[in-house]
Amino acid sequence: EVLMTQSPATLSVSLGDRATLSCRASQNVTSDLLWFQQKPGLPPRLLIHGTSTRATNVPARFSASGSGTTFTLTISSLQSEDSAIYCCQQYNNWPPTFGQGTKVEI
Amino acid sequence: EVQLVESGGGLVQPGGSLRLSCAASGFTFRNYWMSWVRQAPGKRLEWVATVKTDGNEKYSVDSMKGRLTISRDNAKNLVYLQVNSLRADDTAVYYCARGFRPVDFWGRGTLVTVS
């Protein structure tokens, strides 16, 4: 099973700041990596799939990159509504596995 | 509007069974693989099972094999998860999700408490 490790656990930032979140896979997952946003009481919301493709209606301030085992999600110019937990997930190997999440506090 | 609405969760005794349902709407259900994912309190998300568009291919995680069955009814736009021999560590919010590689939409989840 592929272990996904995210860092940092918590990121405290200010409005308008840039946030950089990391996700590492224990083995090569090629570009089969997605990011989603999770807020209390709401279902997860897909942000990025295929490592860097924004999902429908996701603002352009969300961008992502990486390949293989190292991936990054960047949120430029943080807005108040971006306060959430961000998780990565690989879907290259069975079973798909998730990171433990990075909490972004604004 | 895409909607996935889970139901069937609740309090169940250890050793019991539950059948979770997920009602899909707002998209052509038969064209999508469907999956179940769960999240135990304070834990990361965990994949549970996936079923292909026509229901003829099914995958489930090794840790739950033999105890669960995923199925779907394309005529009713429903996907099911039957879990047997429930244990305390099955306590979690169970999410229905559209897709597999990747999942692109999630339901709000249904809470299963085994106690």
Side-chain angles (χ1 to χ4, degrees):
Chain A
E1 196 168 293
V2 180
L3 178 64
M4 306 299 293
T5 304
Q6 291 185 243
S7 61
T10 303
L11 192 57
S12 296
V13 292
S14 300
L15 284 173
D17 278 359
R18 179 187 188 92
T20 302
L21 289 66
S22 294
C23 174
R24 287 184 179 270
S26 62
Q27 58 187 268
N28 186 357
V29 298
T30 65
S31 61
D32 294 337
L33 189 286
L34 64 81
W35 293 90
F36 62 87
Q37 179 190 68
Q38 203 169 12
K39 294 183 178 180
L42 293 178
R45 173 197 176 199
L46 177 68
L47 297 175
I48 303 283
H49 62 92
T51 295
S52 59
T53 302
R54 272 193 305 275
T56 304
N57 296 327
V58 173
R61 64 180 181 273
F62 291 92
S63 63
S65 62
S67 68
T69 61
T70 304
F71 302 89
T72 301
L73 174 70
T74 301
I75 313 170
S76 63
S77 191
L78 276 149
Q79 307 296 303
S80 57
E81 62 265 30
D82 298 335
S83 182
I85 294 173
Y86 293 84
C87 288
C88 62
Q89 181 224 313
Q90 68 81 21
Y91 50 94
N92 185 258
N93 295 61
W94 178 266
T97 49
F98 299 85
Q100 79 280 24
T102 291
K103 184 175 183 180
V104 173
E105 297 177 333
I106 301 174
Chain B
E1 179 194 3
V2 175
Q3 283 199 323
L4 296 172
V5 180
E6 301 93 337
S7 60
L11 177 64
V12 61
Q13 292 186 339
S17 298
L18 272 181
R19 188 173 86 153
L20 307 180
S21 300
C22 171
S25 60
F27 63 100
T28 306
F29 179 73
R30 63 180 180 273
N31 290 348
Y32 286 83
W33 291 61
M34 295 296 295
S35 302
W36 287 93
V37 178
R38 68 180 182 178
Q39 188 166 34
K43 299 288 183 68
R44 69 181 66 193
L45 285 148
E46 178 187 21
W47 206 270
V48 174
T50 294
V51 60
K52 192 181 175 183
T53 50
D54 58 7
N56 288 336
E57 281 184 47
K58 303 175 184 183
Y59 303 94
S60 58
V61 290
D62 286 347
S63 60
M64 296 184 74
K65 259 182 185 159
R67 295 198 297 124
L68 70 83
T69 303
I70 186 171
S71 61
R72 64 191 294 162
D73 185 336
N74 284 348
K76 297 181 179 178
N77 288 4
L78 290 167
V79 59
Y80 304 102
L81 185 71
Q82 174 79 32
V83 188
N84 302 320
S85 303
L86 281 157
R87 312 187 296 229
D89 63 1
D90 292 318
T91 294
V93 175
Y94 286 73
Y95 294 98
C96 172
R98 185 178 77 169
F100 171 32
R101 300 182 70 219
V103 160
D104 66 355
F105 195 85
W106 301 65
R108 288 178 175 263
T110 186
L111 176 62
V112 173
T113 302
V114 183
S115 177

